[in-house]
Amino acid sequence: MTPIALTPPAQEPVSLSEARAFLRLDQTEEDDLLATLITAARLMVEATSGRLLVDQSWRIVLDHWPDSGEIRLPLSPVGTLTAARVYDALGAPQQVAASALQLDRASDPPVLHIVGEVPEIGRVRSAIEIDVVAGFGPNAQSVPALLRQAVLRLAARWFEHRGDVVGRDAEALPTEIMALIAPFRRARL
């Protein structure tokens, strides 16, 4: 199972003006740097928590339908299943009927149940594509406050300590940021 990002979020969970206010910056000369740090901080928080923050489109690629009839999605939270297709022996995409797949958003990770007839796969690799929208919602206000705060504090930390952190501290997220992310981390066994 391979997740592929199709479109990034329409906005970041923290705006430039919020970050500037937090950092007490009056000038806008470093807005490009700050915007890059906000994006990097979002990506780090998403990777650490196992959660996508603001809605973004993803494609899940599978080689075959699972025997169990359940596809545990590697993304969370998933809000919408937008399309699914199967490639036949000639390489032509065959749409999967919306009624054939049922998304269980309450599961963690989200599960896609095969509840109807699905087309036969026709190639050995990358035979199935499932498109989803994943994230807490369409804008920054949809993101839980603790995760927004983690993005803001991490971006601010990187802005304030450019190149100053070396050794062991450069490799790990600070304890206070990990504490903000901890309630949302996906447990892995």
Side-chain angles (χ1 to χ4, degrees), residues 3 45 63 77 84 86 90 102 124 128-129 149 152 159 162 171:
V45 168
D63 292 337
V86 174
L90 299 174
Q102 182 180 43
V124 177
I128 303 164
E129 294 179 346
Q149 191 64 215
L152 177 62
F159 185 86
R162 291 178 248 180
E171 299 169 13

Side-chain angles (χ1 to χ4, degrees), residues 88-172:
D88 63 20
L90 299 174
Q94 305 297 317
Q95 293 301 313
V96 176
S99 61
L101 301 173
Q102 182 180 43
L103 178 61
D104 180 0
R105 292 177 192 87
S107 288
D108 192 22
V111 176
L112 198 58
H113 298 279
I114 302 169
V115 295
E117 192 69 29
V118 291
E120 290 291 320
I121 61 171
R123 60 186 189 195
V124 177
R125 301 272 183 254
S126 304
I128 303 164
E129 294 179 346
I130 300 168
D131 295 347
V132 297
V133 174
F136 285 101
N139 53 43
Q141 292 71 32
S142 306
V143 178
L146 291 176
L147 293 175
R148 291 184 74 235
Q149 191 64 215
V151 171
L152 177 62
R153 289 178 177 269
L154 186 56
R157 180 181 179 86
W158 289 341
F159 185 86
E160 290 175 338
H161 300 284
R162 291 178 248 180
D164 294 344
V165 182
V166 294
R168 192 173 55 110
D169 291 337
E171 299 169 13

Side-chain angles (χ1 to χ4, degrees), residues 19-37:
R20 258 194 258 109
F22 186 78
L23 287 163
R24 298 184 181 147
L25 292 176
D26 295 327
Q27 305 87 5
T28 59
E29 291 86 26
E30 295 189 279
D31 276 2
D32 289 343
L33 170 63
L34 191 52
T36 300
L37 293 175

